Amino acid sequence: MYATPRADACSAAAGRLRGVLRRLDPDLMAHQLARGLAEVPTGRIPGPGCRAGSREDLIRRSVELIRNWLLSGQEPAGDALSELYEAARAAARHGLLAEDAFRACSGAARAVCSALLELSPAEDRVWLMPQLDVAWAFLDIALTTVRRAFADQRELPSADGNSRAAALFARICARSATTVEDLDRAERLGFDLAGPYCPFVTALDGGSAAAHAGLAARLRSAGALACAEGHRVAGLTRPGFDWTDFLADSALVLAAEPATGRAALAETVGTLHDLVTLGSRAGRRGRIRLDDFLTEVMLGNSPQLADGVMRRVLGRLDAEDPSGTLSRTLGCLVAHGFNRTAAAAALPAHRNTLLYRINRIEKLSGLDLDRHAHRELARLAVVRAETTGTRTAPRSA
């Protein structure tokens, strides 16, 4: 067992270590690390049930286990390991390979060690080094847990085919050189590796992970390379693939592109994930296209610029009006094309009240809402806020 030394052994250093551990943010660490480990883009716009989310959860659980082990001096057991097991099981359902799941756990261990070394005073580092053995001891537990979770998941119907498809899909998107294993996977799946490829992402509104696993299996039976990623399915088809029977399901949301060169596949898949997320939020069903959500996707592809616009407009309003009244008013104006009569009726607010709020918005933000360029800036800020969930602004019907 690895334990943090008692206070009488090195009370000052132990206290500082506990202070550093309590400041660690597992959510932030998981988010940053998951982005670096992603092998297939899953979009820039947050959406439920995606592969990136399952990887992030596995990393977060790992960071929490290591941190709590260091704080308590007690090896994790019981409920804590059950949570790690369920996170690994979810990773398997979402199409991650066992080695990718273990990479996530290993990355979490390295990230905790790096954070402790970086945040601890230099005089504590000699004392700190033995404590970092906890992170490496955790990997023994993680390896056993991941293996058991993936073995249990493989016992489910279609799990083998989904894992095979996920591995092949990831390698094609990564533009990896074709190996004997790839040829074997393609032959078993009945998928032609020669290309061209037509990427797609699809989801069933309200569908469970099991329902999406079944959808992926049906798509593979129809000749597609399809892997379930929790609450959506992604993959490739050959040109001319017939979606008619699948689109007959009124819960289906589909984003698909025509034949795409291998060099552009990864970026295209990420965009399709964003389209499905946006379409689902908007209550859309059936086939959706980039033109339907072009502004949202473009902002998502330039997150730093988009967030800068949002802060430039809405940040100043919220700083002076924490209630959000001014931001909601601006959102309503955007939703109604800056028609003041329609916005006043929708809020609802007296026209004079609306005019007063507009004057405050213009004064605080520096915008002139009678100018087209400034209206467009406001629209982009509102769209970005809606897309990221930073603020809910009303949409026009």
Side-chain angles (χ1 to χ4, degrees), residues 20-31 63 67:
V20 170
L21 287 168
R22 291 190 178 101
R23 292 201 305 274
L24 290 184
D25 185 341
D27 291 328
L28 179 61
M29 293 178 73
H31 181 66
V63 171
R67 183 185 64 176

Side-chain angles (χ1 to χ4, degrees), residues 361-382:
I361 290 169
E362 291 182 329
K363 181 177 179 179
L364 292 172
S365 67
L367 299 177
D368 179 353
L369 295 182
D370 287 327
R371 292 179 57 187
H372 174 75
H374 287 197
R375 286 185 174 186
E376 187 61 20
L377 196 64
R379 187 181 75 84
L380 292 175
V382 169

Side-chain angles (χ1 to χ4, degrees), residues 49-391:
C50 64
R51 182 183 300 176
S54 68
R55 181 190 289 105
E56 191 168 319
D57 186 50
L58 185 57
I59 296 170
R60 178 170 46 251
R61 300 291 185 189
S62 299
V63 171
E64 289 172 348
L65 281 175
I66 298 169
R67 183 185 64 176
N68 293 341
W69 189 347
L70 281 163
L71 282 169
S72 68
Q74 299 296 317
E75 185 175 316
D79 291 345
L81 288 183
S82 295
E83 291 180 359
L84 182 65
Y85 169 85
E86 291 301 331
R89 188 82 178 263
R93 284 198 306 271
H94 286 62
L96 280 176
L97 301 178
E99 52 264 37
D100 291 327
F102 186 67
R103 267 204 313 147
C105 296
S106 179
R110 289 195 304 272
V112 171
C113 290
S114 297
L116 290 180
L117 289 170
E118 181 179 338
L119 296 174
S120 297
E123 62 268 24
D124 288 351
R125 291 184 183 175
V126 173
W127 174 86
L128 178 64
M129 293 305 295
Q131 317 313 314
L132 300 184
D133 286 345
V134 165
W136 313 126
F138 161 77
L139 293 183
D140 291 335
I141 294 175
L143 180 59
T144 301
T145 304
V146 166
R147 281 176 173 168
R148 181 163 60 90
F150 273 72
D152 291 347
Q153 184 65 23
R154 279 196 295 270
E155 294 178 2
L156 298 179
S158 303
D160 280 344
N162 195 72
S163 178
R164 195 174 291 121
L168 186 58
F169 180 49
R171 288 186 57 78
I172 292 174
C173 287
R175 301 168 61 186
S176 301
T178 302
T179 64
V180 172
E181 289 81 5
D182 294 335
L183 294 171
D184 178 67
R185 292 183 182 111
E187 183 177 357
R188 288 172 180 266
L189 292 166
F191 185 75
D192 185 359
L193 273 180
Y197 308 114
C198 301
F200 72 89
V201 175
T202 186
L204 296 167
D205 180 55
S208 63
H212 284 85
L215 173 60
R218 293 195 301 276
L219 284 163
R220 290 195 295 270
S221 296
L225 176 63
C227 54
E229 301 176 348
H231 292 79
R232 58 184 58 190
V233 177
L236 307 169
T237 68
R238 299 281 294 168
F241 184 84
D242 188 0
W243 285 99
T244 304
D245 290 343
F246 297 96
L247 287 168
D249 187 336
S250 60
L252 190 84
V253 183
L254 171 67
E257 284 291 314
T260 302
R262 197 161 176 176
L265 273 180
E267 182 178 352
T268 302
V269 169
T271 298
L272 295 178
H273 270 286
D274 287 342
L275 282 176
V276 168
T277 297
L278 292 164
S280 297
R281 286 183 189 172
R284 294 283 300 274
R285 301 294 177 268
R287 189 185 290 267
I288 55 177
R289 294 176 171 78
L290 181 60
D291 290 352
D292 300 329
F293 298 97
L294 186 59
T295 300
E296 291 89 338
V297 170
M298 290 177 66
L299 289 171
N301 286 334
S302 302
Q304 289 185 329
L305 179 61
D307 289 343
V309 171
M310 185 172 65
R311 288 192 298 270
R312 155 78 171 80
V313 177
L314 299 182
R316 298 180 184 181
L317 301 186
D318 291 339
E320 295 294 328
D321 175 33
S323 70
T325 299
L326 295 180
S327 288
R328 287 193 296 273
T329 299
L330 183 59
C332 198
L333 282 165
V334 168
H336 292 85
F338 293 90
N339 183 308
R340 297 180 180 186
T341 300
L347 280 168
H350 189 277
R351 183 174 177 83
N352 288 340
T353 300
L354 177 62
L355 291 175
Y356 169 74
R357 292 181 189 174
I358 290 174
N359 286 335
R360 286 198 66 198
I361 290 169
E362 291 182 329
K363 181 177 179 179
L364 292 172
S365 67
L367 299 177
D368 179 353
L369 295 182
D370 287 327
R371 292 179 57 187
H372 174 75
H374 287 197
R375 286 185 174 186
E376 187 61 20
L377 196 64
R379 187 181 75 84
L380 292 175
V382 169
V383 169
R384 179 61 175 174
E386 288 181 318
T387 301
T388 58
T390 305
R391 180 174 302 282

